[in-house]
Amino acid sequence: MPLDDRKKKILEAVINDYILTAEPIGSRTIAKRYNLGVSSATIRNEMADLEEMGYLEQPHTSAGRIPSDKGYRFYVNNILEHYLNESRDDEVETIDEVFAEIDDIVKKYARLLSTVTNHTIVVKMPRIDENTIKRIQILPVDANKLILLVMTESGIMKNYLISLKDNIDNNLFEFLNNLINNKMMGKRKREMDQTLRDEIKKESGSAIGIIDKITDTIINGLKQMDETDLYSEGISNILNFPEYKDLLKAKMFFDLIDNKDIMNSVLEPLDDSIDVTIGSESKFEEMWDLSIIKSTYKINGEVVGTFGIIGPTRMNYKRLINEINTMSNELSKVLSYIYQENKR
């Protein structure tokens, strides 16, 4: 049975007040705070209907009502339908980081989003299992130090500072760059085997010691990139919510964030739009008191990772959907800009 306009307004009023107060909401409160043009008794009857329809719950017989997961879902669907249909053309200031690592930039945005929202942020970092190497660049820092920049086809970048025992002749850099790129460009991580290393050694001549160190750094770096695929920021923000003042419940939340299997599954993007999972909609029982708002971030239109805002089901969905959508759009533009700059 569809909701009429009055029931919709009362449901929205209950949810908005419950988000602010974390206390069950009564009909008198709604009548006083919202000019709905009906009496407290009428609102009480409508709230009883909404409870019977599954949109509200009554935790105690004498208490007011709180939203159910079904109520939140109706509320969130209306927000998404309205918000995502709006045309947006946000201007973004790009970051001038010639050797910026994508994971460092993503972490900066996660910290910013956590600060702005006062929520816990969980991030699925870009993975490179199937990515091929796009370019490798070796640049001198001083006589015995060099920077190694590795970029994959999807735009993931890593840079390393390599210290050498002996000084390196500047004339060697062109040779090193050509040799490493000729052998490694277009290769996937799984192709970085001993055979490839032996091929590189054969052609390295007197630079064999340096080449060995560079090759090891690239291969080890690619492995590390896959090991750090999850990141979280602002975990302690959960303690600001009255629902998590109980230390045992808070510990369960901390354990959840540390559970890589669950977090990897939860952060798996269903598509490239905003996605909201509310309480019992999750397949994981550990998530039944929580909601997560997810948004992907991209490089040149290709999804490379996922951002998530996680917190109690009593969250300010309207504001948080706005914040994560804006942040993921800005991050995507910055990463695409840096990727294009480093292709030149």
Side-chain angles (χ1 to χ4, degrees):
M1 174 178 163
L3 297 183
D4 58 35
D5 285 343
R6 188 160 69 191
K7 283 186 173 63
K8 288 178 185 177
K9 288 177 182 177
I10 291 172
L11 176 60
E12 183 176 359
V14 171
I15 292 174
N16 286 335
D17 265 43
Y18 186 64
I19 286 170
L20 290 173
T21 66
E23 296 290 339
I25 309 300
S27 57
R28 286 185 182 179
T29 301
I30 299 301
K32 285 180 182 177
R33 294 183 182 173
Y34 298 87
N35 184 23
L36 299 180
V38 293
S39 67
S40 174
T42 300
I43 293 173
R44 184 163 55 250
N45 290 336
E46 294 282 31
M47 289 173 70
D49 289 345
L50 286 166
E51 181 182 357
E52 189 175 332
M53 296 166 74
Y55 292 98
L56 295 178
E57 296 173 350
Q58 192 170 24
H60 310 291
T61 53
S62 60
R65 268 82 171 186
I66 65 173
S68 66
D69 289 350
K70 182 179 178 180
Y72 282 128
R73 171 50 59 196
F74 182 86
Y75 178 78
V76 167
N77 285 350
N78 283 338
I79 293 171
L80 290 174
E81 183 180 359
H82 170 75
Y83 187 79
L84 296 181
N85 284 337
E86 289 183 343
S87 60
R88 300 180 64 86
D89 187 23
D90 298 328
E91 290 295 324
V92 178
E93 290 186 14
T94 51
I95 301 173
D96 184 17
E97 294 189 61
V98 177
F99 299 114
E101 293 185 15
I102 282 186
D103 50 359
D104 284 345
I105 297 170
V106 171
K107 288 174 183 178
K108 287 179 186 177
Y109 274 80
R111 286 193 291 272
L112 179 58
L113 188 58
S114 177
T115 300
V116 168
T117 63
N118 292 314
H119 276 68
T120 300
I121 308 302
V122 285
V123 185
K124 196 175 185 72
M125 306 296 282
R127 294 184 64 84
I128 60 163
D129 282 331
E130 296 304 318
N131 271 246
T132 58
I133 288 181
K134 174 79 175 179
R135 189 182 67 161
I136 296 168
Q137 191 165 358
I138 304 164
L139 300 169
V141 177
D142 57 32
N144 65 343
K145 288 180 182 174
L146 55 87
I147 285 178
L148 174 66
L149 174 67
V150 182
M151 180 184 290
T152 70
E153 283 287 351
S154 67
I156 301 172
M157 285 179 287
K158 295 292 284 186
N159 61 76
Y160 307 92
L161 180 66
I162 300 178
S163 298
L164 305 168
K165 290 181 181 178
D166 303 315
N167 291 352
I168 181 169
D169 189 335
N170 281 339
N171 295 327
L172 264 180
F173 279 99
E174 185 177 356
F175 169 75
L176 291 174
N177 275 303
N178 289 338
L179 176 58
I180 291 292
N181 276 287
N182 286 340
K183 294 298 181 183
M184 289 193 167
M185 271 178 58
K187 300 287 186 185
R188 290 183 171 87
K189 188 188 76 170
R190 63 173 179 266
E191 297 174 286
M192 302 286 179
D193 55 14
Q194 191 58 47
T195 303
L196 177 64
R197 294 171 76 162
D198 290 343
E199 285 180 21
I200 294 172
K201 278 184 183 181
K202 270 186 191 177
E203 299 182 29
S204 58
S206 60
I208 188 168
I210 298 171
I211 291 290
D212 246 4
K213 189 157 190 175
I214 290 171
T215 307
D216 283 344
T217 300
I218 294 172
I219 292 171
N220 291 334
L222 294 179
K223 288 177 181 175
Q224 289 170 14
M225 288 165 77
D226 273 353
E227 289 167 0
T228 56
D229 59 332
L230 288 174
Y231 178 74
S232 58
E233 188 68 47
I235 301 176
S236 62
N237 284 337
I238 197 69
L239 299 175
N240 296 327
F241 296 96
E243 296 93 329
Y244 283 84
K245 293 298 184 185
D246 179 86
L247 292 181
L248 180 59
K249 193 170 182 182
K251 182 182 181 303
M252 290 171 66
F253 178 81
F254 297 147
D255 290 342
L256 170 66
I257 299 300
D258 282 338
N259 190 318
K260 288 192 173 185
D261 290 338
I262 292 179
M263 285 294 103
N264 266 311
S265 178
V266 164
L267 288 170
E268 194 64 34
L270 298 177
D271 51 42
D272 62 356
S273 62
I274 290 176
D275 179 67
V276 183
T277 303
I278 301 167
S280 58
E281 293 176 352
S282 175
K283 64 181 179 180
F284 299 105
E285 188 175 349
E286 294 91 337
M287 293 285 296
W288 287 356
D289 289 330
L290 299 162
S291 288
I292 183 165
I293 303 173
K294 295 186 296 184
S295 182
T296 57
Y297 58 97
K298 309 171 186 177
I299 295 176
N300 298 330
E302 181 183 346
V303 174
V304 294
T306 314
F307 259 62
I309 300 175
I310 188 168
T313 53
R314 183 190 61 85
M315 61 167 56
N316 190 332
Y317 294 95
K318 191 176 292 186
R319 183 174 75 87
L320 297 178
I321 286 171
N322 177 67
E323 295 290 0
I324 197 170
N325 188 63
T326 300
M327 190 68 69
S328 58
N329 285 338
E330 290 186 3
L331 176 59
S332 296
K333 288 179 182 179
V334 167
L335 295 181
S336 297
Y337 170 80
I338 292 172
Y339 178 61
Q340 291 297 333
E341 284 295 297
N342 280 281
K343 282 176 71 177
R344 294 174 188 171

